[in-house]
Amino acid sequence: MTNTSYIDSVRALQWSDDGLLVLDQRQLPARIVHENCRTAADVADTIASMRVRGAPAIGIAAAYGVVLAARERFTQNPLDWRSAVEHDLQRLARSRPTAVNLFWALERMRAVIRRVNTEPVAPLLAEAIAIHEEDIAANRHMGELGADYLANAAGILTHCNTGSLATGGYGTALGVIRSACQRGPRNIFATETRPWSQGARLTVWELNKDRIPATLIADSAAAFLMQSGRVQWVIVGADRIAANGDTANKIGTYALAVAARHHGVRFMVVAPMSTIDWDTAQGEKIEIEERDSRELLAENLLAPDSVISAWNPVFDVTPATLIDVIVTERGVVEQPSSQTMQRLFG
Ligand code: MRU
């Protein structure tokens, strides 16, 4: 199920009969530590605390969390397990608000719960594995579709971590970068991605492990990098794409899109269909997660003790008008808008 290769050797999530094995991303790159989640509550805590993070990976973890819930609840009460599992589903749904893949995966699992009338664990596990495998297949396909746009891109800038750590495997934006690098050498630049430093701690680690050379930059160096002419594309993932193409992604994405447009650098969003929220017409309706301000201060360790408040929104919304292409496994939308999105996806 979780086939790896030398260009894609990392896995964030692995299922075993003993539970869901999660690579603890809070400890990377200093330590490689796995945590075994044995209950849905463990999985919800793991998502909330960002041991696993990245929109598709959150959805996959939640799907396995439902398997764990069913296993526990069915053993406790084989005649009336559904209401207890629904309680666990709701707990999983509260773990993080912005990545729509979480709610999408829980809905898929709910559909299985509705139709089973015997032992639920086997069919739920089959569905969770399908969600996991489909994500890897989608990423590989998006990798090829996205790389088709990059024939003349000597330099690419990416933001946050969108690789195997953030997905079932291979990655979204980082998947396109993997595929492009297989076609020929590129200069890959990764932002640090403050305050949680997904770029510095995860992306650079992951690329290094897979022997893809990359250069780390401070977030504040991005506009200067574009001005220098060393990148032709910015490629990012997404946590939720509204029906008109507005895209919520890691804080700082919007600033990169504004700078890219100013410098004539093209801007690509790569995300599976599970990231598109057709019920949300436009980006301003997307809930933006605000995390504990201590996370911001603790990560930076620079603010004086006298700082009494800090604002820590962890996503922002890039308007569709600043996006050149959205790559999905079902095809590519150029100049996204309600009309172009509808035309491709119907
Ligand atoms: O807060 P995180 O680390 O979960 O945020 C992750 C991102 O914003 C990613 O860019 C996004 O989920 C796409 S991952 C394939």
Side-chain angles (χ1 to χ4, degrees), residues 195-265:
W196 214 78
S197 302
Q198 285 92 334
R201 296 198 296 106
L202 307 178
T203 300
V204 171
W205 177 80
E206 189 178 328
L207 288 176
N208 189 43
K209 234 172 154 344
D210 289 336
R211 288 180 259 148
I212 299 172
T215 303
L216 181 66
I217 62 163
D219 295 330
S220 46
F224 184 45
L225 176 75
M226 294 182 207
Q227 192 185 44
S228 75
R230 292 164 76 189
V231 290
Q232 288 70 46
W233 280 88
V234 175
I235 309 184
V236 298
D239 288 83
R240 192 184 293 228
I241 301 176
N244 70 347
D246 291 351
T247 294
N249 191 50
K250 181 50 53 193
I251 191 78
T253 303
Y254 173 41
L256 291 176
V258 171
R261 184 57 56 90
H262 180 76
H263 292 101
V265 169

Side-chain angles (χ1 to χ4, degrees), residues 50 53-56 58 96 159-162 166-167 172 198 237-239 249-250 315:
M50 292 177 66
R53 29 67 49 205
I58 291 170
R96 289 191 77 187
H159 187 54
C160 196
N161 173 268
T162 62
T167 64
T172 56
Q198 285 92 334
D239 288 83
N249 191 50
K250 181 50 53 193
F315 300 101

Side-chain angles (χ1 to χ4, degrees), residues 142-164:
M142 292 191 296
E144 297 306 311
L145 293 177
D148 288 345
Y149 281 81
L150 304 175
N152 300 318
I156 297 167
L157 173 63
T158 191
H159 187 54
C160 196
N161 173 268
T162 62
S164 297

Side-chain angles (χ1 to χ4, degrees), residues 179-198:
S179 297
C181 289
Q182 279 182 284
R183 296 185 191 185
R186 322 276 159 161
N187 294 317
I188 307 303
F189 294 88
T191 60
E192 276 182 302
T193 321
R194 297 286 182 119
W196 214 78
S197 302
Q198 285 92 334

